[in-house]
Amino acid sequence: MAAPARNRPLQPIRNVQQPLAREKAEVDALFLSIGEGAIVTDAQGDISRINKTALSLLGLTENEVLGRWFPDTIIAEDEAGNIIPNINRPITEVFLSGKPVFSKIYYRRKDQGKIAVALTVSPVLLDGKPIGAIEVFRDITQEVQLEKAKDEFISLVSHQLRTPATGVKQYAGMLLDGYAGELSNLQLSMVQTIYEINERQIATVNDLLRVAQIDAGQVRLIKQRTALTPLLEDIIDEQVSKFNARSQKAYFHYPDKDVWVNIDAARMRMAIENIIDNASKYTPPHKQILVSMHRKEKTVSILVQDEGVGIAKEDINQIFEKFSRLDSALSATVGGTGLGLYWARKIIDLHGASLDVKSKLNKGTTFIITLPVAV
Protein backbone atom coordinates (compact mmCIF):
# COMPACT_ATOMS: atom_id res chain seq x y z
CA MET A 1 0.00 0.00 0.00
CA ALA A 2 1.33 3.42 -0.92
CA ALA A 3 2.15 5.81 1.87
CA PRO A 4 -0.45 8.61 2.29
CA ALA A 5 0.56 11.97 0.80
CA ARG A 6 1.54 14.60 3.30
CA ASN A 7 -0.63 17.73 3.54
CA ARG A 8 1.53 20.86 3.91
CA PRO A 9 -0.72 23.88 3.14
CA LEU A 10 1.25 26.42 5.17
CA GLN A 11 4.46 26.43 3.15
CA PRO A 12 2.98 27.47 -0.26
CA ILE A 13 0.91 30.21 1.40
CA ARG A 14 3.98 31.53 3.20
CA ASN A 15 5.91 31.57 -0.06
CA VAL A 16 3.21 33.73 -1.68
CA GLN A 17 2.68 36.00 1.31
CA GLN A 18 6.35 36.80 1.84
CA PRO A 19 6.93 38.39 -1.61
CA LEU A 20 3.64 40.30 -1.27
CA ALA A 21 4.60 41.63 2.15
CA ARG A 22 8.05 42.58 0.87
CA GLU A 23 6.58 44.35 -2.16
CA LYS A 24 4.15 46.27 0.09
CA ALA A 25 6.99 47.30 2.39
CA GLU A 26 8.99 48.56 -0.58
CA VAL A 27 6.02 50.57 -1.89
CA ASP A 28 5.40 52.03 1.58
CA ALA A 29 9.04 53.00 1.95
CA LEU A 30 9.07 54.61 -1.49
CA PHE A 31 5.88 56.59 -0.81
CA LEU A 32 7.04 57.81 2.59
CA SER A 33 10.49 58.79 1.33
CA ILE A 34 9.28 60.99 -1.56
CA GLY A 35 10.88 64.39 -1.12
CA GLU A 36 7.70 66.16 -2.22
CA GLY A 37 4.25 66.15 -0.66
CA ALA A 38 2.17 63.14 -1.64
CA ILE A 39 -1.51 62.40 -0.95
CA VAL A 40 -3.60 59.40 -2.04
CA THR A 41 -7.40 59.34 -2.15
CA ASP A 42 -9.94 56.62 -2.74
CA ALA A 43 -12.74 56.70 -5.32
CA GLN A 44 -14.89 58.93 -3.08
CA GLY A 45 -12.11 61.48 -2.66
CA ASP A 46 -11.36 60.51 0.94
CA ILE A 47 -7.67 60.68 1.89
CA SER A 48 -6.25 57.19 2.42
CA ARG A 49 -2.53 58.00 2.62
CA ILE A 50 -0.32 61.05 3.14
CA ASN A 51 3.44 61.31 3.58
CA LYS A 52 5.42 63.30 6.14
CA THR A 53 6.48 65.95 3.64
CA ALA A 54 2.85 66.80 2.84
CA LEU A 55 1.93 66.91 6.55
CA SER A 56 4.88 69.21 7.25
CA LEU A 57 4.06 71.58 4.37
CA LEU A 58 0.41 71.82 5.43
CA GLY A 59 1.05 71.91 9.18
CA LEU A 60 -1.31 68.99 9.76
CA THR A 61 -1.22 65.60 11.50
CA GLU A 62 -2.33 62.21 10.19
CA ASN A 63 -5.33 62.17 12.55
CA GLU A 64 -6.55 65.45 11.05
CA VAL A 65 -6.30 64.11 7.50
CA LEU A 66 -6.79 60.37 7.08
CA GLY A 67 -10.30 59.29 6.16
CA ARG A 68 -11.44 62.84 5.50
CA TRP A 69 -12.71 64.25 2.21
CA PHE A 70 -9.83 65.84 0.30
CA PRO A 71 -11.49 69.13 -0.85
CA ASP A 72 -12.73 69.94 2.66
CA THR A 73 -9.46 69.01 4.35
CA ILE A 74 -6.91 70.54 1.96
CA ILE A 75 -8.20 74.06 1.24
CA ALA A 76 -7.11 75.55 -2.10
CA GLU A 77 -7.03 79.27 -2.88
CA ASP A 78 -6.23 81.48 -5.82
CA GLU A 79 -3.64 84.27 -5.70
CA ALA A 80 -6.20 86.75 -4.36
CA GLY A 81 -7.07 84.46 -1.44
CA ASN A 82 -10.43 83.28 -2.83
CA ILE A 83 -11.30 79.65 -2.10
CA ILE A 84 -11.29 77.61 -5.32
CA PRO A 85 -14.66 75.86 -5.81
CA ASN A 86 -14.52 72.07 -5.62
CA ILE A 87 -15.62 71.72 -9.24
CA ASN A 88 -12.52 73.67 -10.33
CA ARG A 89 -10.05 71.70 -8.21
CA PRO A 90 -7.44 69.65 -10.11
CA ILE A 91 -8.41 66.47 -8.26
CA THR A 92 -12.02 66.88 -9.41
CA GLU A 93 -10.84 67.31 -12.99
CA VAL A 94 -8.85 64.08 -12.69
CA PHE A 95 -11.89 62.09 -11.56
CA LEU A 96 -13.99 63.58 -14.37
CA SER A 97 -11.45 63.15 -17.16
CA GLY A 98 -9.37 60.19 -16.01
CA LYS A 99 -6.26 62.08 -17.16
CA PRO A 100 -3.33 63.64 -15.22
CA VAL A 101 -3.58 67.34 -14.38
CA PHE A 102 -0.77 69.83 -13.75
CA SER A 103 -1.48 73.08 -11.93
CA LYS A 104 -0.17 75.88 -9.70
CA ILE A 105 -2.37 76.98 -6.81
CA TYR A 106 -2.17 77.98 -3.14
CA TYR A 107 -2.82 75.63 -0.21
CA ARG A 108 -3.97 76.97 3.15
CA ARG A 109 -1.95 75.77 6.12
CA LYS A 110 -3.42 74.92 9.52
CA ASP A 111 -1.96 78.18 10.91
CA GLN A 112 -3.99 80.08 8.23
CA GLY A 113 -0.86 80.91 6.26
CA LYS A 114 -0.67 79.76 2.66
CA ILE A 115 1.94 78.21 0.41
CA ALA A 116 2.17 78.30 -3.37
CA VAL A 117 2.40 74.78 -4.79
CA ALA A 118 3.09 73.19 -8.14
CA LEU A 119 1.20 69.92 -8.30
CA THR A 120 0.55 66.88 -10.42
CA VAL A 121 -2.59 64.80 -9.86
CA SER A 122 -2.87 61.41 -11.55
CA PRO A 123 -5.74 58.93 -11.53
CA VAL A 124 -5.39 55.42 -10.12
CA LEU A 125 -7.14 53.28 -12.73
CA LEU A 126 -8.68 49.82 -12.62
CA ASP A 127 -10.11 48.47 -15.89
CA GLY A 128 -9.89 52.00 -17.27
CA LYS A 129 -11.96 53.56 -14.47
CA PRO A 130 -10.62 55.85 -11.70
CA ILE A 131 -10.64 54.14 -8.28
CA GLY A 132 -8.63 56.88 -6.64
CA ALA A 133 -6.03 59.54 -7.25
CA ILE A 134 -2.51 60.43 -6.17
CA GLU A 135 -1.30 64.01 -5.89
CA VAL A 136 2.33 65.04 -5.68
CA PHE A 137 3.10 68.68 -4.89
CA ARG A 138 6.02 70.92 -3.98
CA ASP A 139 6.33 74.27 -2.26
CA ILE A 140 7.14 77.03 -4.77
CA THR A 141 6.43 79.96 -2.43
CA GLN A 142 9.98 81.31 -2.65
CA GLU A 143 9.94 81.05 -6.44
CA VAL A 144 6.65 82.96 -6.64
CA GLN A 145 7.88 85.65 -4.24
CA LEU A 146 11.12 86.02 -6.18
CA GLU A 147 9.22 86.35 -9.46
CA LYS A 148 6.91 88.95 -7.92
CA ALA A 149 9.84 90.94 -6.50
CA LYS A 150 11.55 90.82 -9.88
CA ASP A 151 8.44 92.11 -11.64
CA GLU A 152 8.04 94.94 -9.12
CA PHE A 153 11.71 95.86 -9.54
CA ILE A 154 11.40 95.91 -13.33
CA SER A 155 8.30 98.08 -13.12
CA LEU A 156 9.94 100.57 -10.73
CA VAL A 157 13.16 100.82 -12.71
CA SER A 158 11.25 101.13 -15.99
CA HIS A 159 9.24 104.09 -14.69
CA GLN A 160 12.41 105.76 -13.45
CA LEU A 161 14.11 105.23 -16.82
CA ARG A 162 11.23 106.35 -19.00
CA THR A 163 10.96 109.88 -17.58
CA PRO A 164 14.53 111.02 -18.42
CA ALA A 165 14.50 109.08 -21.70
CA THR A 166 11.35 110.91 -22.79
CA GLY A 167 13.02 114.23 -21.89
CA VAL A 168 16.02 113.39 -24.06
CA LYS A 169 13.70 112.58 -26.95
CA GLN A 170 11.89 115.91 -26.67
CA TYR A 171 15.07 117.99 -26.68
CA ALA A 172 16.67 115.95 -29.47
CA GLY A 173 13.49 116.40 -31.50
CA MET A 174 13.56 120.17 -30.90
CA LEU A 175 17.17 120.34 -32.11
CA LEU A 176 16.23 118.42 -35.27
CA ASP A 177 13.31 120.80 -35.84
CA GLY A 178 15.63 123.82 -35.66
CA TYR A 179 14.44 125.35 -32.37
CA ALA A 180 18.07 126.11 -31.39
CA GLY A 181 19.08 127.36 -34.79
CA GLU A 182 20.30 125.70 -37.96
CA LEU A 183 22.58 122.71 -37.47
CA SER A 184 25.54 121.80 -39.58
CA ASN A 185 25.42 118.49 -41.46
CA LEU A 186 27.72 116.92 -38.86
CA GLN A 187 25.62 118.22 -35.96
CA LEU A 188 22.44 117.08 -37.67
CA SER A 189 23.86 113.60 -38.16
CA MET A 190 24.94 113.35 -34.53
CA VAL A 191 21.60 114.55 -33.14
CA GLN A 192 19.77 112.15 -35.47
CA THR A 193 21.87 109.30 -34.06
CA ILE A 194 21.06 110.42 -30.49
CA TYR A 195 17.36 110.50 -31.38
CA GLU A 196 17.41 106.98 -32.89
CA ILE A 197 19.33 105.47 -29.96
CA ASN A 198 16.92 107.15 -27.57
CA GLU A 199 13.96 105.71 -29.49
CA ARG A 200 15.38 102.21 -29.00
CA GLN A 201 15.90 102.92 -25.30
CA ILE A 202 12.29 104.03 -24.86
CA ALA A 203 11.07 100.96 -26.77
CA THR A 204 13.07 98.73 -24.39
CA VAL A 205 11.65 100.49 -21.32
CA ASN A 206 8.12 100.15 -22.72
CA ASP A 207 8.69 96.42 -23.33
CA LEU A 208 9.81 95.98 -19.71
CA LEU A 209 6.79 97.87 -18.41
CA ARG A 210 4.32 95.90 -20.51
CA VAL A 211 5.79 92.58 -19.41
CA ALA A 212 5.82 93.60 -15.74
CA GLN A 213 2.17 94.64 -15.98
CA ILE A 214 0.98 91.48 -17.69
CA ASP A 215 2.94 89.21 -15.31
CA ALA A 216 1.41 91.06 -12.35
CA GLY A 217 -2.10 90.47 -13.75
CA GLN A 218 -2.66 94.20 -14.22
CA VAL A 219 -3.75 94.02 -17.87
CA ARG A 220 -7.51 94.28 -18.35
CA LEU A 221 -8.82 93.93 -21.87
CA ILE A 222 -11.45 96.32 -23.23
CA LYS A 223 -13.01 94.28 -26.01
CA GLN A 224 -15.06 95.75 -28.82
CA ARG A 225 -16.47 94.42 -32.05
CA THR A 226 -13.69 95.13 -34.56
CA ALA A 227 -13.31 94.68 -38.33
CA LEU A 228 -10.12 92.72 -38.86
CA THR A 229 -9.20 93.67 -42.43
CA PRO A 230 -8.78 97.45 -41.94
CA LEU A 231 -6.91 96.82 -38.68
CA LEU A 232 -4.35 94.58 -40.43
CA GLU A 233 -4.08 96.95 -43.39
CA ASP A 234 -3.26 99.81 -41.03
CA ILE A 235 -0.66 97.72 -39.16
CA ILE A 236 1.10 96.76 -42.39
CA ASP A 237 0.99 100.31 -43.82
CA GLU A 238 2.65 101.66 -40.66
CA GLN A 239 5.53 99.20 -41.06
CA VAL A 240 6.20 99.91 -44.75
CA SER A 241 9.15 102.16 -43.89
CA LYS A 242 10.79 99.28 -41.99
CA PHE A 243 10.23 96.91 -44.89
CA ASN A 244 11.74 99.44 -47.30
CA ALA A 245 14.74 100.05 -45.03
CA ARG A 246 15.38 96.29 -45.03
CA SER A 247 14.76 95.92 -48.79
CA GLN A 248 11.78 93.63 -48.17
CA LYS A 249 8.33 93.32 -49.69
CA ALA A 250 5.15 92.80 -47.66
CA TYR A 251 1.84 91.49 -49.00
CA PHE A 252 -1.61 91.18 -47.47
CA HIS A 253 -4.21 88.64 -48.66
CA TYR A 254 -7.68 88.71 -47.14
CA PRO A 255 -11.22 87.38 -47.82
CA ASP A 256 -13.63 89.38 -49.95
CA LYS A 257 -16.00 89.72 -47.02
CA ASP A 258 -14.71 91.37 -43.86
CA VAL A 259 -14.38 89.39 -40.64
CA TRP A 260 -15.46 90.78 -37.27
CA VAL A 261 -13.90 89.81 -33.93
CA ASN A 262 -14.32 90.87 -30.29
CA ILE A 263 -10.89 92.16 -29.26
CA ASP A 264 -9.05 94.88 -27.39
CA ALA A 265 -7.94 96.46 -30.66
CA ALA A 266 -5.10 98.53 -29.20
CA ARG A 267 -3.45 95.58 -27.44
CA MET A 268 -4.11 93.05 -30.20
CA ARG A 269 -2.64 95.57 -32.63
CA MET A 270 0.61 95.73 -30.64
CA ALA A 271 0.77 91.93 -30.43
CA ILE A 272 0.39 91.57 -34.21
CA GLU A 273 2.89 94.40 -34.79
CA ASN A 274 5.43 92.51 -32.67
CA ILE A 275 4.93 89.33 -34.67
CA ILE A 276 5.19 91.08 -38.06
CA ASP A 277 8.22 93.10 -36.94
CA ASN A 278 9.86 89.89 -35.69
CA ALA A 279 9.24 88.28 -39.10
CA SER A 280 10.87 91.26 -40.80
CA LYS A 281 13.88 91.30 -38.45
CA TYR A 282 14.72 87.67 -39.13
CA THR A 283 14.16 87.82 -42.89
CA PRO A 284 17.14 88.73 -45.13
CA PRO A 285 16.94 91.60 -47.64
CA HIS A 286 15.09 91.05 -50.95
CA LYS A 287 12.76 88.49 -49.37
CA GLN A 288 9.06 88.85 -48.57
CA ILE A 289 6.59 88.74 -45.69
CA LEU A 290 3.06 87.56 -46.40
CA VAL A 291 0.18 88.37 -44.04
CA SER A 292 -3.07 86.53 -44.80
CA MET A 293 -6.51 85.89 -43.29
CA HIS A 294 -8.38 82.60 -43.49
CA ARG A 295 -12.00 82.44 -42.33
CA LYS A 296 -13.63 79.27 -41.06
CA GLU A 297 -17.12 78.82 -39.66
CA LYS A 298 -16.38 79.96 -36.09
CA THR A 299 -12.76 81.13 -36.23
CA VAL A 300 -10.44 83.26 -38.29
CA SER A 301 -6.69 82.70 -38.62
CA ILE A 302 -4.09 85.38 -39.24
CA LEU A 303 -0.94 83.96 -40.83
CA VAL A 304 2.36 85.84 -40.83
CA GLN A 305 4.73 84.01 -43.16
CA ASP A 306 8.33 85.00 -43.77
CA GLU A 307 11.24 83.74 -45.86
CA GLY A 308 13.67 84.14 -43.01
CA VAL A 309 16.28 82.11 -41.18
CA GLY A 310 13.73 79.77 -39.58
CA ILE A 311 13.71 78.13 -36.16
CA ALA A 312 14.92 74.66 -35.18
CA LYS A 313 12.13 72.39 -33.93
CA GLU A 314 13.66 72.08 -30.45
CA ASP A 315 13.88 75.88 -30.13
CA ILE A 316 10.29 76.80 -31.06
CA ASN A 317 8.96 76.90 -27.48
CA GLN A 318 11.97 78.89 -26.34
CA ILE A 319 11.10 81.92 -28.51
CA PHE A 320 8.13 82.67 -26.22
CA GLU A 321 10.26 82.85 -23.08
CA LYS A 322 11.27 86.17 -21.52
CA PHE A 323 14.58 87.62 -22.73
CA SER A 324 14.95 84.76 -25.18
CA ARG A 325 16.93 85.33 -28.36
CA LEU A 326 18.06 82.49 -30.61
CA ASP A 327 21.44 82.37 -32.28
CA SER A 328 21.18 82.98 -36.00
CA ALA A 329 22.94 84.79 -38.81
CA LEU A 330 20.79 87.88 -38.14
CA SER A 331 20.65 87.86 -34.31
CA ALA A 332 23.65 90.14 -33.88
CA THR A 333 22.21 92.83 -36.15
CA VAL A 334 18.48 92.96 -35.34
CA GLY A 335 18.68 94.05 -31.69
CA GLY A 336 15.70 93.76 -29.35
CA THR A 337 15.01 92.69 -25.77
CA GLY A 338 13.61 89.21 -26.34
CA LEU A 339 10.31 90.31 -24.78
CA GLY A 340 8.12 91.04 -27.81
CA LEU A 341 6.95 87.51 -28.57
CA TYR A 342 6.52 86.70 -24.86
CA TRP A 343 4.22 89.70 -24.45
CA ALA A 344 2.39 89.03 -27.73
CA ARG A 345 1.55 85.47 -26.69
CA LYS A 346 0.31 86.62 -23.29
CA ILE A 347 -2.03 89.16 -24.92
CA ILE A 348 -3.30 86.58 -27.41
CA ASP A 349 -3.90 84.10 -24.57
CA LEU A 350 -5.88 86.73 -22.65
CA HIS A 351 -8.19 87.02 -25.68
CA GLY A 352 -8.93 83.29 -25.54
CA ALA A 353 -7.11 82.95 -28.85
CA SER A 354 -4.12 80.80 -29.81
CA LEU A 355 -0.68 81.43 -31.28
CA ASP A 356 1.05 78.59 -33.12
CA VAL A 357 4.36 78.41 -34.99
CA LYS A 358 5.54 76.34 -37.92
CA SER A 359 9.13 76.68 -39.05
CA LYS A 360 12.08 75.06 -40.77
CA LEU A 361 15.67 76.20 -40.60
CA ASN A 362 16.58 78.38 -43.58
CA LYS A 363 13.06 77.92 -44.99
CA GLY A 364 11.15 80.56 -43.05
CA THR A 365 8.58 80.71 -40.27
CA THR A 366 4.80 81.01 -40.07
CA PHE A 367 3.03 82.44 -37.02
CA ILE A 368 -0.68 81.56 -36.82
CA ILE A 369 -3.07 83.57 -34.64
CA THR A 370 -6.52 81.96 -34.37
CA LEU A 371 -9.39 84.07 -33.01
CA PRO A 372 -13.08 83.34 -32.41
CA VAL A 373 -15.32 85.15 -34.90
CA ALA A 374 -17.75 87.65 -33.37
CA VAL A 375 -21.33 86.37 -33.43
Side-chain angles (χ1 to χ4, degrees):
M1 178 180 290
R6 292 185 179 181
N7 239 344
R8 294 190 300 174
L10 295 179
Q11 187 65 32
I13 292 176
R14 189 160 51 243
N15 288 342
V16 172
Q17 288 178 335
Q18 285 177 346
L20 288 175
R22 182 175 178 177
E23 183 177 343
K24 183 179 183 302
E26 290 174 350
V27 171
D28 288 345
L30 179 63
F31 180 82
L32 294 172
S33 65
I34 293 175
E36 298 179 342
I39 304 173
V40 178
T41 73
D42 60 21
Q44 286 71 46
D46 295 331
I47 299 172
S48 57
R49 303 193 68 180
I50 185 168
N51 71 353
K52 291 181 180 178
T53 304
L55 291 171
S56 174
L57 290 173
L58 298 169
L60 296 168
T61 65
E62 278 193 344
N63 290 337
E64 294 171 314
V65 171
L66 293 180
R68 298 177 181 271
W69 197 45
F70 183 97
D72 283 349
T73 308
I74 314 297
I75 306 300
E77 300 178 357
D78 60 22
E79 190 173 5
N82 302 310
I83 295 178
I84 299 174
N86 293 339
I87 191 65
N88 296 331
R89 295 281 296 268
I91 194 164
T92 306
E93 186 178 342
V94 163
F95 276 111
L96 293 174
S97 69
K99 297 178 181 178
V101 173
F102 309 91
S103 183
K104 291 182 180 180
I105 57 177
Y106 290 84
Y107 275 158
R108 185 186 295 173
R109 289 173 46 85
K110 184 181 178 181
D111 59 11
Q112 297 304 304
K114 67 178 181 180
I115 58 170
V117 298
L119 58 84
T120 302
V121 191
S122 301
V124 179
L125 301 175
L126 180 64
D127 296 329
K129 296 181 179 180
I131 60 168
I134 180 167
E135 173 177 306
V136 178
F137 63 93
R138 65 184 180 90
D139 184 357
I140 58 169
T141 303
Q142 287 187 333
E143 297 171 32
V144 170
Q145 290 173 343
L146 181 62
E147 187 72 19
K148 185 176 180 180
K150 183 179 69 175
D151 290 340
E152 289 174 351
F153 173 76
I154 290 173
S155 181
L156 176 63
V157 171
S158 298
H159 277 296
Q160 295 299 320
L161 285 172
R162 187 159 64 171
T163 301
T166 303
V168 171
K169 178 179 179 178
Q170 290 173 343
Y171 279 97
M174 290 169 67
L175 287 172
L176 290 172
D177 290 338
Y179 279 86
E182 188 175 350
L183 302 179
S184 68
N185 289 338
L186 178 59
Q187 290 170 333
L188 194 63
S189 174
M190 293 175 71
V191 175
Q192 183 65 44
T193 300
I194 291 171
Y195 188 87
E196 291 171 359
I197 292 172
N198 178 254
E199 281 275 82
R200 291 199 294 272
Q201 181 187 21
I202 291 174
T204 299
V205 172
N206 287 337
D207 282 347
L208 289 169
L209 271 175
R210 282 196 289 262
V211 167
Q213 288 170 346
I214 203 163
D215 283 348
Q218 296 175 355
V219 174
R220 297 290 181 267
L221 301 181
I222 303 174
K223 292 185 180 181
Q224 292 181 326
R225 186 177 170 87
T226 304
L228 207 47
T229 300
L231 176 66
L232 290 172
E233 283 180 321
D234 199 33
I235 291 171
I236 295 167
D237 287 344
E238 283 196 357
Q239 299 206 39
V240 165
S241 60
K242 290 183 181 179
F243 299 136
N244 291 339
R246 295 165 180 161
S247 300
Q248 298 165 343
K249 295 288 185 182
Y251 300 93
F252 180 32
H253 293 171
Y254 52 90
D256 294 334
K257 190 175 180 181
D258 206 350
V259 181
W260 293 80
V261 289
N262 288 319
I263 58 172
D264 184 321
R267 289 198 168 93
M268 182 59 74
R269 178 192 191 96
M270 288 189 285
I272 297 171
E273 283 174 348
N274 273 325
I275 292 169
I276 294 176
D277 183 54
N278 185 80
S280 176
K281 283 179 178 179
Y282 288 93
T283 297
H286 312 297
K287 297 289 185 178
Q288 70 177 31
I289 292 95
L290 172 63
V291 180
S292 57
M293 285 170 53
H294 302 271
R295 167 73 190 266
K296 294 184 179 179
E297 184 179 353
K298 295 183 179 180
T299 61
V300 59
S301 295
I302 304 167
L303 275 63
V304 179
Q305 300 169 271
D306 65 51
E307 297 179 339
V309 295
I311 308 165
K313 185 177 180 180
E314 62 271 19
D315 291 333
I316 284 180
N317 287 333
Q318 184 182 332
I319 65 174
F320 295 111
E321 296 176 2
K322 279 188 282 192
F323 306 109
S324 174
R325 298 190 63 209
L326 303 180
D327 291 331
S328 74
L330 294 176
S331 294
T333 61
V334 298
T337 59
L339 294 172
L341 290 179
Y342 172 84
W343 185 85
R345 184 169 210 170
K346 289 283 187 178
I347 290 296
I348 289 167
D349 287 346
L350 280 178
H351 278 83
S354 65
L355 176 59
D356 300 304
V357 185
K358 295 180 180 179
S359 186
K360 289 185 179 180
L361 280 175
N362 303 314
K363 297 291 185 181
T365 301
T366 300
F367 286 85
I368 307 163
I369 305 167
T370 304
L371 291 157
V373 174
V375 293

